[in-house]
């Protein structure tokens, strides 16, 4: 009897799917338009407005990461925006005052510089606080809240209450924070005249580049293993817990990252617009940013950015052309978009692409 050797079955190599270059190509196109075309076609005033919209887009990017990817409806991002803005504003006011006191402290009868303000003379310390303070507050809040499994509407109300409390605190400390007026009348930004067209142009490029870097970082995070785990937490938190992961840690990290983005946006907003006040970080501004993310499409990071820029432009356009009715028109725009596209503009475009 002779043994026969059977040939091993021939297995075909897996076919590697071609990479979809539409996303990177679109990002490159938007980068060229933002960094090359817009500075050439827009006058300095309009370019400054666009820079302001892009700071809002940075906050919206963090909201898209926390809400769209993680399911955490945060209605208090204005708190972290304000913390970053006040950190930068404090440094600029001290730089303008030199050896004296900031102007609002003189008007308020303050005789010596508060100890809290002194370290902000150092620009390195001020920039570090732009990131550290919002991140630390968000980490502490997330650690306390998510471990207690607070989520959904309860978490949204809690963050909204935090924004309201922040406004009350700032308004009540006239000699320390400038009260209702906040911090304004900045003259220099790291040695440059903040009102000069060249400085504002440089600030625009800075904001646009920072937005691009943060967008790439958030996009990579979304595609990583952590990003997939974040989506799993959003869609089935209890199931993730049963699989051995800790959803509280995942949500706390994401919430902290979104807060850091808001703090960076606030710091850039201050020299671009020239003011930071409680009116810019309360409940209403926080809600407007969430609405902008919903309009653009909260399930896509690009949608969050698009919504923030679109709503910022709409607010400016309607207030200039129809000052008596611009709030109604802005609300109508929101209702129209959500009514026709519940998943936002990006969700509507994706549905059309799939249908085609």
């Amino acid at each position: 009897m002779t043994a026969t050797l059977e040939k091993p079955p021939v297995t075909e190599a897996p076919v590697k799917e071609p990479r979809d270059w539409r996303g990177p190509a679109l990002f490159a196109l938007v980068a060229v338009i933002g960094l090359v075309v817009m500075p050439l076609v827009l006058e300095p005033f309009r370019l400054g407005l666009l820079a302001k919209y892009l700071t809002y887009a940075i906050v919206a990017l963090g909201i898209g990461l926390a809400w769209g990817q993680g399911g955490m409806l945060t209605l208090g991002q204005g708190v972290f925006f304000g913390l970053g803005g006040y950190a930068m504003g404090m440094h600029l006011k001290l730089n303008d005052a030199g050896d004296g006191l900031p102007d609002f402290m003189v008007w308020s009868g303050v005789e010596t510089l508060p100890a809290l303000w002194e370290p902000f003379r150092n620009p390195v310390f001020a920039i570090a606080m732009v990131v550290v303070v919002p991140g630390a507050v968000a980490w502490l809040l997330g650690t306390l809240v998510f471990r207690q499994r607070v989520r959904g509407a309860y978490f949204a109300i809690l963050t909204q209450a935090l924004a309201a409390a922040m406004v009350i605190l700032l308004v009540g400390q006239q000699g320390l924070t400038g009260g209702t007026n906040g911090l304004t009348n900045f003259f220099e930004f790291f040695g440059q005249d903040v009102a000069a067209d060249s400085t504002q142009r440089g600030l625009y490029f800075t904001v646009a580049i920072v937005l691009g870097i943060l967008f790439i970082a958030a996009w990579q995070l979304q595609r990583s293993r952590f990003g997939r785990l974040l989506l799993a937490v959003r869609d089935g938190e209890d199931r993730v817990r049963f699989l051995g992961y800790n959803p509280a840690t995942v949500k706390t990290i994401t919430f902290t990252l979104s807060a850091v983005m808001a703090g960076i946006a606030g710091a850039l907003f201050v020299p671009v617009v020239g003011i930071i006040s409680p009116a810019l970080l309360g409940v209403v501004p926080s809600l407007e940013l969430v609405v902008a993310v919903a309009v653009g499409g909260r399930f896509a990071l690009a949608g969050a950015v698009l919504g923030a820029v679109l709503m910022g432009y709409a607010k400016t356009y309607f207030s200039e052309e129809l000052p008596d009715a611009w709030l109604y028109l802005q609300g109508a725009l929101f209702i129209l978009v959500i009514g026709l596209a519940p998943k936002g503009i990006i969700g509507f475009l994706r549905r059309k692409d799939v249908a085609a």
Side-chain angles (χ1 to χ4, degrees):
M1 184 174 63
T2 59
T4 59
L5 299 177
E6 296 182 358
K7 294 182 179 181
V10 179
T11 57
E12 296 181 359
V15 179
K16 187 176 182 180
E17 295 183 0
R19 183 175 180 181
D20 189 357
W21 290 97
R22 288 178 298 178
L26 181 60
F27 178 84
L29 177 62
V30 172
V32 170
I33 294 174
L35 296 176
V36 179
V37 178
M38 289 303 179
L40 293 176
V41 300
L42 294 181
E43 59 185 18
F45 174 72
R46 296 297 174 183
L47 193 64
L49 286 177
L50 181 56
K52 181 176 73 171
Y53 305 155
L54 295 184
T55 61
Y56 293 152
I58 296 176
V59 186
L61 182 63
I63 296 175
L65 190 64
W67 182 31
Q69 304 301 310
M72 294 169 282
L73 177 56
T74 169
L75 301 180
Q77 289 299 95
V79 172
F80 310 115
F81 181 85
L83 290 173
Y86 270 90
M88 179 59 68
M90 290 164 70
H91 170 71
L92 297 182
K93 292 300 292 184
L94 290 173
N95 183 66
D96 292 340
D99 295 331
L101 294 175
D103 49 10
F104 74 89
M105 289 188 183
V106 176
W107 304 333
S108 301
V110 178
E111 298 181 354
T112 58
L113 186 69
L116 177 65
W117 276 67
E118 188 61 42
F120 286 89
R121 291 189 184 275
N122 189 322
V124 176
F125 179 84
I127 294 175
M129 291 301 101
V130 166
V131 175
V132 172
V133 174
V137 172
W139 181 270
L140 178 61
L141 179 63
T143 301
L144 295 176
V145 170
F146 296 133
R147 285 186 177 179
Q148 300 300 321
R149 303 185 183 181
V150 176
R151 53 188 173 182
Y154 299 101
F155 175 73
I157 294 172
L158 180 62
T159 56
Q160 191 176 51
L162 180 64
M166 184 71 172
V167 171
I168 295 174
L169 177 64
L170 292 174
V171 171
Q173 301 295 321
Q174 174 71 36
L176 188 65
T177 64
T180 305
N181 296 326
L183 307 180
T184 186
N185 296 328
F186 305 111
F187 300 107
E188 287 189 0
F189 179 71
F190 293 98
Q192 304 295 319
D193 182 6
V194 74
D197 291 344
S198 59
T199 304
Q200 288 298 314
R201 183 176 295 270
L203 285 169
Y204 168 78
F205 283 114
T206 301
V207 174
I209 291 172
V210 169
L211 173 59
I213 293 173
L214 292 177
F215 182 87
I216 293 174
W219 183 70
Q220 291 291 345
L221 180 66
Q222 178 187 7
R223 293 168 57 89
S224 67
R225 181 180 178 181
F226 180 86
R228 293 192 294 271
L229 182 60
L230 180 62
L231 289 177
V233 170
R234 181 195 70 185
D235 297 334
E237 182 174 336
D238 293 331
R239 293 183 180 181
V240 172
R241 185 177 294 108
F242 293 150
L243 291 174
Y245 295 97
N246 187 355
T249 301
V250 177
K251 295 170 74 172
T252 300
I253 292 174
T254 307
F255 184 54
T256 302
L257 291 176
S258 70
V260 168
M261 290 183 185
I264 294 173
L268 293 171
F269 179 90
V270 169
V272 168
V273 181
I275 186 175
I276 185 69
S277 70
L280 296 169
L281 52 101
V283 174
V284 174
S286 299
L287 287 174
E288 288 180 345
L289 287 168
V290 172
V291 168
V293 173
V295 168
R298 70 183 180 97
F299 296 109
L301 298 177
V305 173
L306 175 63
V309 175
L310 177 63
M311 293 299 288
Y313 173 77
K315 186 175 183 179
T316 300
Y317 178 80
F318 290 146
S319 62
E320 289 178 348
E321 299 298 328
L322 298 166
D324 295 332
W326 70 272
L327 280 174
Y328 300 103
L329 293 173
Q330 189 179 25
L333 176 63
F334 168 69
I335 295 173
L336 179 65
V337 172
I338 298 301
L340 296 177
K343 293 185 179 181
I345 296 174
I346 295 295
F348 179 78
L349 295 177
R350 285 180 173 177
R351 185 179 64 182
K352 288 292 186 181
D353 185 49
V354 171

